[in-house]
Amino acid sequence: MFNWFRRKVNKTDSEPVSEPTEQVTTPETETPSQETTSDDYLSWAKNAYKNIQQRQTPSTSPTETPEKEVSPDSEPLPQQESQSPATEAKEETPAWMQKSDRLEALKETALETATVEETAPLTFDEEFVWSAKVLAAQGRAPDDISEEEINWLKRLRQGLGKSRRGLVNQLKSIVGQGPLNEDAVMEIEALLLQADTGIEATDQIISTLQNKLLEEALPSEQALEYLKSILREILDRPLQKVVNPGFAPEKGVLNIWLLTGVNGAGKTTTIGKLAHLAQQSGYDCIIAAADTFRAAAVEQVKVWGERTNTPVIANPGKNTDPAAVVFDGISAAQAREADLLLVDTAGRLQNKKNLMAELAKIRRIIDKKAANAQIESLLVLDATLGQNGLRQAAVFSEAANLSGVVLTKLDGTAKGGVALAVAQQLDLPIRFIGVGEGIEDLRPFSSYEFVEALLNE
């Protein structure tokens, strides 16, 4: 069982990690040395691929054809897409039955998508090598790499493609010319603002980069690496004030995560994906459907509960007291000795006073019913809204005593820089990011992996 909440990322001085077989320079502290070549990373990736293949059971691909077997000793090849085995059967089905099957398929879209991603054979291609390089640079060893991590990094890079396209080459042409003149500063500022980085974060990035280039002239590659370190510093700064930087549910105590956010930000979907992530990582999870004022919210939570095999506590009545649902959810979690209780809260901003009163009542219930619980309040933020989403976040930050952010829909926007704006303007750590509609497309946030996927060619 792979525990995503305690996954090894971001090499630190205080936490020893296994070193890669090949000597790889860590970009977090310095730019790559001449000894670290693409051949070194390719050799490291081959070893990682072989180790993953050895750990796989024969039953995972019983019908795999020889054409799908890709040797890691060969050059990376484009990933092959598998065809659905249901195509031939569908042709023999009457039209009226095909329509019925399609309706049933629509009801299970998220689960079916996840199943395809889980069973797709791992291919040694260009994106595998890139993913392995990112893991190696964080001090990981080839025998300590999982297929889940490789697949996630592939999806992350693909999801940030809209934000990355055109950004890297333009930045390289600017920062590789020595100290920044006024025209260069304006160009970088425009690029960052187009990515919705925000004025505050943009000003800090430019001033820090300018000071460095005034001290020494850096080639474009090294200047870009220094720029990455600036972005990572901004993203990681909010973590300095939190008790649980790793953000893993604590065993032996009830963890309660309140999910807030405006309707349409993906809050209910995020709860379902978090429940799946918790179950897959070995945590017993329960969902409390406390967004009782939105007609479809409770039903949507129940559907996600069925898909993830997670118990859902809900009140059958309409417009019921959300705090009462939370009370019942805590009781159920305590009775079943669950590790994690996910609470879906209201997303109404029309009446800020009522929202604040409702969230305050929920917190009072938690303090009284589960005094020793570890409580987190997470804001689900739609990345496609950019700066508009940050203005909404300011209201929730005041009302919900936020402790972190879940950034969703990064795959549908060219404004990936909004992650920097969240860290700089809200001073809140990003805990999870979503880069797709599939049930596997939400994962814990890593600043190093995010920046590499954003600025790596």
Side-chain angles (χ1 to χ4, degrees):
M1 179 176 292
F2 188 79
N3 189 337
W4 274 99
F5 295 94
R6 297 194 180 277
R7 175 173 170 251
K8 299 177 184 178
V9 294
N10 294 345
K11 180 180 175 183
T12 61
D13 295 333
S14 59
E15 181 180 357
V17 294
S18 54
E19 294 293 334
T21 302
E22 300 291 334
Q23 293 298 319
V24 181
T25 303
T26 305
E28 294 179 38
T29 56
E30 57 181 313
T31 54
S33 62
Q34 293 182 351
E35 287 99 7
T36 305
T37 65
S38 58
D39 290 338
D40 294 328
Y41 284 121
L42 183 59
S43 176
W44 195 97
K46 290 176 181 178
N47 290 332
Y49 182 83
K50 289 179 180 178
N51 284 316
I52 292 175
Q53 292 295 314
Q54 289 173 1
R55 289 196 299 267
Q56 289 179 337
T57 58
S59 59
T60 55
S61 54
T63 58
E64 191 171 307
T65 60
E67 288 78 11
K68 291 185 179 180
E69 290 289 344
V70 182
S71 171
D73 295 322
S74 62
E75 291 300 317
L77 299 174
Q79 188 167 356
Q80 300 178 359
E81 298 182 358
S82 58
Q83 295 182 351
S84 171
T87 305
E88 296 181 2
K90 186 175 180 181
E91 294 176 354
E92 301 175 359
T93 306
W96 64 272
M97 289 188 65
Q98 291 180 18
K99 181 178 179 181
S100 176
D101 291 340
R102 178 59 179 161
L103 289 175
E104 289 297 318
L106 288 173
K107 293 168 61 177
E108 300 295 333
T109 300
L111 185 58
E112 289 182 359
T113 302
T115 302
V116 172
E117 292 173 354
E118 285 292 316
T119 57
L122 187 66
T123 307
F124 189 82
D125 54 11
E126 179 185 353
E127 292 205 333
F128 183 99
V129 175
W130 177 86
S131 302
K133 179 180 178 180
V134 171
L135 293 168
Q138 296 181 89
R140 302 290 297 279
D143 59 355
D144 190 30
I145 300 302
S146 69
E147 182 178 358
E148 293 94 332
E149 292 175 288
I150 294 292
N151 287 334
W152 162 246
L153 288 173
K154 287 183 177 183
R155 291 196 296 271
L156 177 63
R157 188 168 187 247
Q158 293 167 358
L160 291 176
K162 291 183 180 180
S163 298
R164 184 176 62 251
R165 278 191 288 269
L167 185 61
V168 176
N169 288 333
Q170 293 182 65
L171 283 173
K172 277 186 178 180
S173 65
I174 298 171
V175 301
Q177 299 175 359
L180 305 180
N181 56 32
E182 185 176 352
D183 292 339
V185 169
M186 292 182 64
E187 288 185 55
I188 295 179
E189 182 179 29
L191 287 172
L192 293 174
L193 290 176
Q194 287 172 14
D196 242 13
T197 303
I199 295 176
E200 294 181 17
T202 298
D203 288 344
Q204 180 179 347
I205 293 169
I206 291 177
S207 62
T208 307
L209 184 60
Q210 175 72 302
N211 291 337
K212 178 67 174 179
L213 294 180
L214 285 173
E215 294 176 2
E216 58 178 316
L218 297 177
S220 60
E221 292 291 341
Q222 294 184 26
L224 190 61
E225 288 299 322
Y226 186 73
L227 175 60
K228 290 179 182 179
S229 70
I230 298 174
L231 303 188
R232 290 196 297 269
E233 193 277 331
I234 293 175
L235 291 169
D236 288 336
R237 189 183 304 140
L239 291 173
Q240 298 175 1
K241 64 178 184 179
V242 301
V243 179
N244 183 11
F247 207 68
E250 184 178 339
K251 285 286 188 178
V253 65
L254 178 59
N255 300 267
I256 302 177
W257 291 0
L258 304 174
L259 278 294
T260 63
V262 298
N263 297 333
K267 179 164 55 69
T268 304
T269 301
T270 295
I271 287 178
K273 293 179 180 180
L274 281 176
H276 174 75
L277 186 65
Q279 300 281 16
Q280 294 296 310
S281 299
Y283 297 94
D284 292 328
C285 181
I286 290 179
I287 302 175
D291 186 1
T292 59
F293 293 96
R294 187 162 67 91
V298 175
E299 294 304 318
Q300 289 175 356
V301 170
K302 288 181 179 179
V303 170
W304 276 107
E306 294 176 359
R307 290 173 175 171
T308 60
N309 195 28
T310 304
V312 175
I313 307 302
N315 194 312
K318 295 182 179 179
N319 295 333
T320 54
D321 184 6
V325 178
V326 175
F327 183 92
D328 294 340
I330 295 174
S331 299
Q334 291 173 336
R336 304 181 191 189
E337 298 183 350
D339 301 306
L340 179 61
L341 174 64
L342 299 173
V343 180
D344 186 15
T345 65
R348 306 180 315 279
L349 280 180
Q350 296 87 341
N351 193 321
K352 177 182 171 183
K353 183 178 179 180
N354 286 353
L355 175 63
M356 293 180 68
E358 180 180 306
L359 292 173
K361 185 176 181 181
I362 289 176
R363 293 300 290 259
R364 288 196 301 270
I365 291 294
I366 293 175
D367 292 339
K368 182 180 297 185
K369 181 70 174 173
N372 297 324
Q374 298 293 326
I375 306 171
E376 300 288 347
S377 184
L378 302 177
L379 172 70
V380 180
L381 193 61
D382 183 347
T384 62
L385 297 180
Q387 294 295 310
N388 290 331
L390 291 183
R391 284 188 281 271
Q392 296 174 355
V395 178
F396 279 102
S397 181
E398 180 182 349
N401 191 22
L402 298 176
S403 59
V405 172
V406 181
L407 200 56
T408 65
K409 306 181 184 180
L410 274 168
D411 60 311
T413 179
K415 300 179 179 181
V418 71
L420 295 157
V422 168
Q424 180 73 19
Q425 295 174 226
L426 299 180
D427 195 25
L428 290 171
I430 300 173
R431 292 305 196 176
F432 300 92
I433 55 172
V435 292
E437 297 297 328
I439 200 171
E440 300 284 346
D441 292 334
L442 182 82
R443 289 290 185 255
F445 179 75
S446 162
S447 64
Y448 180 80
E449 294 171 357
F450 177 84
V451 171
E452 286 299 307
L454 183 65
L455 292 182
N456 200 294
E457 291 180 285

